[in-house]
Amino acid sequence: MTKFVLIAALGAIASVSAAGPAAVNLGKAGTYAILSKSGISTVPTSAITGNIGVSPIASTAITGFSLKMDSTNRSATSTQVTGSVYAADYAAPTPEDLTVAIGDMEIAYTDAAGRTPPDHLNLGSGDLGGKTLGPGLYKFGSTVIIPTDCTISGLPTDTWIFQMSGDLTMAANKRVKLIGGALASNIVWQVAGYVEVGAGAHMEGILLVKTAAHFRTDSSLNGRILAQTAVTLQSSTVTQPYLGRFLAQTADILV
Ligand SMILES: *[C@@H]1O[C@H](CO)[C@@H](O)[C@H](O)[C@H]1NC(C)=O
């Protein structure tokens, strides 16, 4: 009975208000706050909430974390990570698990990059400063810059995909802000170039990055960094988001 009421309520929310593209399935990559194919470095002290992993590169590509190996040899810990650290040279089943996660990360990137048709094409010529962005598919045939604060506005069931052929760069001390209940887990940035978040800047969402992600001094992210080359942190804070996507997916099924 209680279950019925809940399902009916979710169905009502979904049919009335869910807006934006279908959720991007991160698969096993969605269990990492940071995943990289070629390395993760930190200039201490960073603070990461969630697991981090590298593959196919080995643990020597995780630098600045002062890793402490677990007794199982399957994972390590660091005072900078609230979660576990994984690398391709750790004991089984870690290498196989990472191969699956990296594959899922690449599938998610390709999925996000291939979505059509855009609701917005080259909005603001790639300058999101000062903009309020509702749910939808945004496509940019360029680099995207965030030189002043920008706002992502929508409900917890709404979704956003930002596709770009260039880089994503945020100026120092600027913020991406969420309003109306918008969830970082429902926001995907598909970046064909690199991501650069300036010193003291704050970003929101899932970063699916073809190359690198650089987080400068005291920058922060509420989201995930899923990068196909290196991730560099400098006293950065990366916090994996609350699982809002579950609600969106449940709603999708019920519609
Ligand atoms: C973990 O690695 C160390 C060093 O190579 C080794 O001595 C130890 O036996 C390993 N532990 C397990 C559970 O495999």
Side-chain angles (χ1 to χ4, degrees), residues 155-177:
L155 296 166
T157 46
D158 292 344
T159 52
W160 292 256
I161 297 175
F162 298 94
Q163 303 166 319
M164 64 206 71
S165 61
D167 308 318
L168 173 62
T169 64
M170 271 190 88
N173 301 313
K174 302 309 173 202
R175 296 185 72 80
V176 168
K177 293 184 275 195

Side-chain angles (χ1 to χ4, degrees), residues 35-231:
L35 194 55
S36 166
K37 291 177 75 173
S38 58
I40 305 170
S41 70
T42 173
V43 176
T45 303
S46 293
I48 298 153
T49 304
N51 298 330
I52 71 173
V54 296
S55 175
I57 206 151
S59 55
T60 47
I62 303 176
T63 61
F65 284 92
S66 305
L67 295 179
K68 202 165 154 276
M69 200 65 189
D70 291 346
S71 59
T72 60
N73 293 340
R74 291 175 183 167
S75 62
T77 55
S78 165
T79 55
Q80 296 175 73
V81 182
T82 304
S84 296
V85 179
Y86 297 94
D89 57 331
Y90 288 175
T94 297
E96 292 78 7
D97 289 348
L98 282 167
T99 299
V100 170
I102 293 286
D104 287 351
M105 168 175 95
E106 293 178 334
I107 289 166
Y109 178 91
T110 302
D111 173 22
R115 296 293 182 90
T116 56
D119 300 304
H120 306 274
L121 184 61
N122 297 323
L123 179 74
S125 302
D127 182 348
L128 298 184
K131 297 227 171 349
T132 297
L133 307 162
L137 177 61
Y138 295 75
K139 183 182 176 74
F140 299 92
S142 67
T143 280
V144 169
I145 59 171
I146 306 178
T148 58
D149 291 358
C150 90
T151 303
I152 294 177
S153 173
L155 296 166
T157 46
D158 292 344
T159 52
W160 292 256
I161 297 175
F162 298 94
Q163 303 166 319
M164 64 206 71
S165 61
D167 308 318
L168 173 62
T169 64
M170 271 190 88
N173 301 313
K174 302 309 173 202
R175 296 185 72 80
V176 168
K177 293 184 275 195
L178 306 185
I179 62 170
L183 294 174
S185 52
N186 290 338
I187 301 165
V188 167
W189 303 85
Q190 176 265 314
V191 184
Y194 63 80
V195 171
E196 165 97 24
V197 176
H202 177 74
M203 184 63 185
E204 295 270 355
I206 310 301
L207 301 172
L208 287 171
V209 194
K210 186 72 179 186
T211 65
H214 306 296
F215 277 73
R216 302 306 180 198
T217 306
D218 294 329
S219 58
S220 58
L221 170 74
N222 178 30
R224 302 183 193 279
I225 307 172
L226 307 176
Q228 296 185 29
T229 67
V231 175

